[in-house]
Coordinates of all heavy atoms in Angstrom, one line a residue:
M74 N 0.9 -1.2 0.0 CA 0.0 0.0 0.0 C 0.9 1.2 0.0 O 1.8 1.4 0.8 CB -0.9 0.0 1.2 CG -1.7 1.2 1.4 SD -3.1 1.1 2.5 CE -2.4 0.5 4.0
R75 N 0.7 2.1 -0.9 CA 1.5 3.3 -1.0 C 0.7 4.4 -0.4 O -0.3 4.9 -1.0 CB 1.8 3.6 -2.5 CG 2.9 2.6 -2.9 CD 3.2 2.8 -4.4 NE 3.2 4.2 -4.9 CZ 3.6 4.5 -6.1 NH1 4.1 3.6 -6.9 NH2 3.6 5.8 -6.5
I76 N 1.0 4.8 0.8 CA 0.3 5.9 1.5 C 1.0 7.2 1.2 O 0.4 8.2 0.9 CB 0.3 5.6 3.0 CG1 -0.5 4.3 3.2 CG2 -0.4 6.7 3.7 CD1 -0.3 3.8 4.6
F77 N 2.3 7.2 1.4 CA 3.0 8.5 1.4 C 3.7 8.7 0.0 O 4.1 9.8 -0.3 CB 4.1 8.5 2.4 CG 3.6 8.3 3.8 CD1 3.8 7.1 4.5 CD2 2.8 9.2 4.4 CE1 3.3 6.9 5.8 CE2 2.2 9.0 5.7 CZ 2.5 7.8 6.4
H78 N 3.8 7.7 -0.8 CA 4.5 7.9 -2.1 C 3.6 7.7 -3.3 O 4.1 7.6 -4.4 CB 5.6 6.9 -2.1 CG 6.6 7.1 -1.0 ND1 6.5 6.5 0.2 CD2 7.7 8.0 -0.9 CE1 7.5 6.9 1.0 NE2 8.2 7.8 0.3
D79 N 2.2 7.6 -3.1 CA 1.4 7.3 -4.2 C 1.2 8.5 -5.2 O 0.8 8.3 -6.3 CB 0.0 6.8 -3.8 CG -0.8 7.9 -3.0 OD1 -0.1 8.9 -2.5 OD2 -2.0 7.7 -2.8
H80 N 1.7 9.6 -4.8 CA 1.6 10.8 -5.7 C 2.7 10.8 -6.7 O 2.7 11.6 -7.7 CB 1.6 12.1 -4.9 CG 2.8 12.3 -4.1 ND1 3.1 11.7 -2.9 CD2 3.9 13.1 -4.4 CE1 4.3 12.1 -2.5 NE2 4.8 12.9 -3.3
F81 N 3.7 10.0 -6.5 CA 4.8 9.9 -7.5 C 4.4 9.2 -8.7 O 3.7 8.2 -8.6 CB 6.1 9.2 -6.9 CG 6.7 9.9 -5.8 CD1 7.2 9.3 -4.7 CD2 7.0 11.3 -5.9 CE1 7.8 10.0 -3.6 CE2 7.6 12.0 -4.9 CZ 8.1 11.3 -3.8
D82 N 4.7 9.7 -9.9 CA 4.3 9.0 -11.1 C 5.4 8.0 -11.5 O 6.3 7.7 -10.8 CB 4.1 10.0 -12.2 CG 5.3 10.9 -12.6 OD1 6.4 10.5 -12.2 OD2 5.1 11.9 -13.2
D83 N 5.2 7.4 -12.7 CA 6.1 6.4 -13.2 C 7.5 6.8 -13.5 O 8.4 6.0 -13.7 CB 5.5 5.7 -14.4 CG 4.3 4.9 -14.1 OD1 4.1 4.5 -12.9 OD2 3.5 4.6 -15.0
T84 N 7.7 8.1 -13.4 CA 9.0 8.6 -13.7 C 9.9 8.7 -12.5 O 11.1 9.0 -12.6 CB 9.0 10.0 -14.4 OG1 8.4 11.0 -13.5 CG2 8.2 10.0 -15.7
W85 N 9.3 8.4 -11.3 CA 10.1 8.4 -10.1 C 11.1 7.3 -10.1 O 10.7 6.1 -10.2 CB 9.2 8.3 -8.8 CG 9.9 8.5 -7.5 CD1 10.8 9.5 -7.2 CD2 9.9 7.6 -6.4 NE1 11.2 9.3 -5.9 CE2 10.7 8.1 -5.4 CE3 9.2 6.4 -6.2 CZ2 10.9 7.5 -4.2 CZ3 9.4 5.8 -5.0 CH2 10.2 6.3 -4.0
A86 N 12.4 7.6 -10.1 CA 13.4 6.6 -10.2 C 14.4 6.8 -9.0 O 15.5 7.3 -9.3 CB 14.1 6.6 -11.5
P87 N 14.0 6.5 -7.8 CA 14.9 6.7 -6.7 C 16.2 5.8 -6.7 O 16.1 4.7 -7.3 CB 14.1 6.4 -5.5 CG 13.1 5.4 -6.0 CD 12.8 5.8 -7.4
D88 N 17.2 6.3 -6.1 CA 18.4 5.4 -6.0 C 18.0 4.3 -5.0 O 17.0 4.4 -4.3 CB 19.6 6.2 -5.5 CG 19.4 6.8 -4.1 OD1 19.3 6.1 -3.1 OD2 19.3 8.1 -4.1
P89 N 18.7 3.2 -5.0 CA 18.4 2.1 -4.1 C 18.2 2.4 -2.6 O 17.2 1.9 -2.0 CB 19.5 1.1 -4.3 CG 20.1 1.4 -5.7 CD 19.9 2.9 -5.8
A90 N 19.0 3.3 -2.1 CA 18.8 3.7 -0.7 C 17.5 4.4 -0.4 O 16.8 4.2 0.6 CB 20.0 4.5 -0.2
A91 N 17.1 5.3 -1.3 CA 15.9 6.1 -1.2 C 14.7 5.2 -1.4 O 13.7 5.3 -0.7 CB 15.8 7.2 -2.2
Y92 N 14.8 4.2 -2.3 CA 13.7 3.3 -2.5 C 13.5 2.4 -1.2 O 12.4 2.2 -0.8 CB 14.0 2.4 -3.7 CG 12.9 1.4 -3.9 CD1 11.7 1.7 -4.6 CD2 13.0 0.1 -3.5 CE1 10.7 0.8 -4.7 CE2 11.9 -0.8 -3.6 CZ 10.8 -0.5 -4.3 OH 9.8 -1.4 -4.4
E93 N 14.6 1.9 -0.7 CA 14.5 1.1 0.5 C 13.9 1.9 1.7 O 13.1 1.3 2.4 CB 15.9 0.6 0.9 CG 16.0 -0.4 2.0 CD 15.3 -1.7 1.7 OE1 15.3 -2.1 0.5 OE2 14.7 -2.3 2.6
A94 N 14.3 3.1 1.8 CA 13.7 4.0 2.9 C 12.2 4.2 2.7 O 11.4 4.1 3.6 CB 14.4 5.3 2.9
A95 N 11.8 4.4 1.4 CA 10.4 4.6 1.1 C 9.6 3.3 1.4 O 8.5 3.4 2.0 CB 10.2 5.0 -0.3
L96 N 10.2 2.2 1.0 CA 9.5 0.9 1.2 C 9.4 0.6 2.7 O 8.3 0.2 3.2 CB 10.3 -0.2 0.6 CG 9.7 -1.6 0.6 CD1 8.3 -1.6 -0.1 CD2 10.6 -2.6 -0.1
E97 N 10.4 0.9 3.5 CA 10.4 0.7 4.9 C 9.3 1.6 5.6 O 8.6 1.1 6.5 CB 11.7 0.9 5.5 CG 11.9 0.4 7.0 CD 13.3 0.4 7.4 OE1 14.2 0.0 6.6 OE2 13.5 0.8 8.6
L98 N 9.2 2.8 5.2 CA 8.2 3.7 5.7 C 6.8 3.2 5.4 O 6.0 3.2 6.3 CB 8.4 5.1 5.1 CG 7.4 6.1 5.5 CD1 7.4 6.4 7.0 CD2 7.6 7.4 4.7
E99 N 6.6 2.8 4.2 CA 5.3 2.3 3.8 C 4.9 1.0 4.7 O 3.8 0.9 5.1 CB 5.2 2.0 2.4 CG 5.4 3.2 1.4 CD 4.2 4.1 1.4 OE1 3.2 3.8 2.0 OE2 4.4 5.2 0.9
W100 N 5.8 0.1 4.8 CA 5.5 -1.1 5.6 C 5.3 -0.7 7.1 O 4.3 -1.3 7.7 CB 6.7 -2.1 5.6 CG 6.6 -3.0 4.4 CD1 7.4 -2.9 3.3 CD2 5.7 -4.0 4.2 NE1 7.1 -3.9 2.4 CE2 6.0 -4.6 2.9 CE3 4.7 -4.6 4.9 CZ2 5.3 -5.7 2.4 CZ3 3.9 -5.6 4.4 CH2 4.3 -6.2 3.2
A101 N 6.0 0.2 7.7 CA 5.8 0.6 9.0 C 4.4 1.2 9.2 O 3.7 0.9 10.2 CB 6.9 1.5 9.5
A102 N 4.1 2.1 8.3 CA 2.8 2.8 8.4 C 1.6 1.8 8.2 O 0.6 2.0 8.9 CB 2.7 3.9 7.3
S103 N 1.8 0.8 7.4 CA 0.7 -0.1 7.1 C 0.3 -1.0 8.4 O -0.8 -1.6 8.3 CB 1.0 -1.0 6.0 OG 2.0 -2.0 6.3
S104 N 1.1 -0.9 9.4 CA 0.8 -1.7 10.6 C 0.2 -0.8 11.7 O 0.1 -1.3 12.8 CB 2.0 -2.5 11.1 OG 3.0 -1.6 11.5
R105 N 0.0 0.4 11.4 CA -0.4 1.4 12.5 C -1.7 2.1 12.1 O -1.9 2.4 10.9 CB 0.6 2.4 12.7 CG 1.9 1.9 13.3 CD 2.9 3.0 13.6 NE 4.1 2.4 14.2 CZ 5.2 2.3 13.5 NH1 5.3 2.6 12.2 NH2 6.3 1.8 14.1
S106 N -2.6 2.4 13.0 CA -3.8 3.2 12.7 C -3.3 4.6 12.5 O -2.3 5.0 13.1 CB -4.8 3.1 13.9 OG -5.4 1.9 13.9
P107 N -4.0 5.4 11.7 CA -5.1 5.1 10.9 C -4.8 4.4 9.6 O -5.7 4.0 8.8 CB -5.8 6.4 10.7 CG -4.6 7.3 10.6 CD -3.6 6.8 11.6
Y108 N -3.6 4.3 9.3 CA -3.2 3.7 7.9 C -3.6 2.3 7.8 O -4.1 1.9 6.7 CB -1.7 3.9 7.7 CG -1.2 5.3 8.0 CD1 -0.4 5.6 9.1 CD2 -1.6 6.4 7.2 CE1 -0.1 6.9 9.4 CE2 -1.3 7.7 7.4 CZ -0.5 7.9 8.5 OH -0.1 9.2 8.8
R109 N -3.4 1.5 8.8 CA -3.9 0.1 8.8 C -5.3 0.0 8.5 O -5.8 -0.9 7.8 CB -3.5 -0.6 10.1 CG -4.0 -2.0 10.2 CD -3.8 -2.6 11.6 NE -4.5 -1.8 12.6 CZ -3.9 -1.4 13.8 NH1 -2.7 -1.8 14.1 NH2 -4.6 -0.7 14.6
D110 N -6.1 0.9 9.0 CA -7.6 0.9 8.8 C -8.0 1.2 7.4 O -9.2 1.0 7.0 CB -8.2 1.9 9.8 CG -7.8 1.6 11.2 OD1 -7.6 0.4 11.6 OD2 -7.8 2.6 12.0
M111 N -7.1 1.7 6.6 CA -7.4 2.0 5.2 C -7.1 0.8 4.3 O -7.2 0.9 3.1 CB -6.6 3.2 4.7 CG -6.9 4.5 5.4 SD -6.2 6.0 4.8 CE -4.5 5.5 4.4
G112 N -6.9 -0.4 4.9 CA -6.5 -1.6 4.2 C -7.5 -2.0 3.1 O -7.2 -2.6 2.1
H113 N -8.8 -1.7 3.4 CA -9.8 -2.0 2.4 C -9.7 -1.2 1.1 O -10.4 -1.5 0.2 CB -11.2 -1.9 3.0 CG -11.6 -0.5 3.3 ND1 -11.1 0.2 4.4 CD2 -12.4 0.4 2.6 CE1 -11.6 1.4 4.4 NE2 -12.4 1.5 3.3
L114 N -8.9 -0.2 1.2 CA -8.7 0.7 0.0 C -7.6 0.2 -0.9 O -7.3 0.8 -1.9 CB -8.5 2.1 0.4 CG -9.6 2.8 1.3 CD1 -9.2 4.2 1.7 CD2 -10.9 2.8 0.5
V115 N -6.9 -0.8 -0.5 CA -5.7 -1.3 -1.2 C -6.2 -2.0 -2.5 O -7.2 -2.7 -2.6 CB -4.9 -2.4 -0.4 CG1 -3.8 -3.0 -1.2 CG2 -4.4 -1.7 0.9
H116 N -5.5 -1.7 -3.6 CA -5.8 -2.4 -4.8 C -4.4 -2.6 -5.5 O -3.4 -2.0 -5.2 CB -6.7 -1.5 -5.7 CG -6.1 -0.2 -6.0 ND1 -6.3 0.9 -5.2 CD2 -5.4 0.3 -7.1 CE1 -5.7 2.0 -5.7 NE2 -5.1 1.6 -6.9
T117 N -4.4 -3.5 -6.4 CA -3.2 -3.9 -7.1 C -3.3 -3.5 -8.6 O -4.3 -3.7 -9.2 CB -3.0 -5.5 -7.1 OG1 -3.0 -5.9 -5.7 CG2 -1.8 -5.9 -7.8
L118 N -2.2 -2.9 -9.0 CA -2.1 -2.5 -10.4 C -1.0 -3.3 -11.0 O 0.1 -3.5 -10.4 CB -1.8 -1.0 -10.6 CG -2.9 -0.1 -10.0 CD1 -2.3 1.4 -10.1 CD2 -4.2 -0.2 -10.7
A119 N -1.2 -3.8 -12.3 CA -0.2 -4.5 -12.9 C -0.1 -4.0 -14.4 O -1.1 -3.5 -14.9 CB -0.5 -6.0 -12.9
R120 N 1.1 -4.1 -14.9 CA 1.3 -3.7 -16.3 C 2.1 -4.8 -17.0 O 3.1 -5.2 -16.5 CB 2.0 -2.4 -16.3 CG 2.2 -1.9 -17.7 CD 3.0 -0.6 -17.7 NE 2.3 0.4 -16.8 CZ 2.8 1.5 -16.4 NH1 4.1 1.8 -16.8 NH2 2.2 2.3 -15.6
Q121 N 1.6 -5.2 -18.1 CA 2.3 -6.2 -18.9 C 3.4 -5.5 -19.7 O 3.1 -4.4 -20.3 CB 1.3 -6.9 -19.9 CG 1.9 -8.0 -20.6 CD 0.9 -8.8 -21.4 OE1 -0.2 -8.3 -21.6 NE2 1.3 -10.0 -21.9
P122 N 4.6 -6.0 -19.7 CA 5.6 -5.4 -20.5 C 5.3 -5.3 -22.0 O 4.6 -6.2 -22.5 CB 6.9 -6.3 -20.2 CG 6.4 -7.4 -19.3 CD 5.0 -7.3 -19.1
E123 N 5.8 -4.2 -22.6 CA 5.5 -4.1 -24.0 C 6.4 -5.1 -24.7 O 7.5 -5.4 -24.4 CB 5.9 -2.7 -24.5 CG 5.0 -1.6 -23.9 CD 5.4 -0.2 -24.5 OE1 6.0 -0.2 -25.6 OE2 5.1 0.7 -23.8
R124 N 5.8 -5.7 -25.8 CA 6.5 -6.7 -26.6 C 7.2 -6.0 -27.7 O 6.6 -5.1 -28.4 CB 5.5 -7.7 -27.1 CG 5.0 -8.6 -26.1 CD 4.1 -9.7 -26.7 NE 2.7 -9.3 -26.4 CZ 1.7 -9.9 -26.9 NH1 1.9 -10.9 -27.7 NH2 0.5 -9.6 -26.6
S125 N 8.4 -6.3 -28.0 CA 9.1 -5.8 -29.2 C 8.5 -6.5 -30.4 O 8.2 -7.6 -30.4 CB 10.6 -5.9 -29.0 OG 10.9 -7.3 -28.8
R126 N 8.4 -5.7 -31.5 CA 7.9 -6.3 -32.7 C 8.9 -6.7 -33.7 O 10.0 -6.3 -33.8 CB 7.0 -5.2 -33.4 CG 5.8 -4.9 -32.5 CD 5.0 -3.8 -33.2 NE 3.9 -3.6 -32.3 CZ 2.6 -3.6 -32.7 NH1 2.3 -3.8 -33.9 NH2 1.7 -3.3 -31.9

């Protein structure tokens, strides 16, 4: 669940340390109220890679 970073678009390309920090923050928040209580709002998005022709 992206609570704090969902406003970043697909062009966000953090370095590995920034990504790890963002991921850790999201995981920590997901286990605490009120963020945990928003769990029913979680959805999954997937994108199939473009095929080369």
Side-chain angles (χ1 to χ4, degrees):
M74 173 163 55
R75 288 176 36 174
I76 298 168
F77 304 111
H78 300 89
D79 63 345
H80 63 282
F81 291 137
D82 61 16
D83 290 340
T84 61
W85 186 53
D88 61 70
Y92 180 81
E93 187 65 33
L96 185 60
E97 192 167 319
L98 175 65
E99 297 289 349
W100 274 108
S103 71
S104 64
R105 296 182 178 103
S106 286
Y108 310 110
R109 175 185 57 223
D110 304 331
M111 296 187 318
H113 68 281
L114 301 176
V115 174
H116 58 276
T117 301
L118 298 175
R120 182 180 306 166
Q121 186 173 14
E123 293 184 25
R124 290 185 255 173
S125 56
R126 295 178 181 231

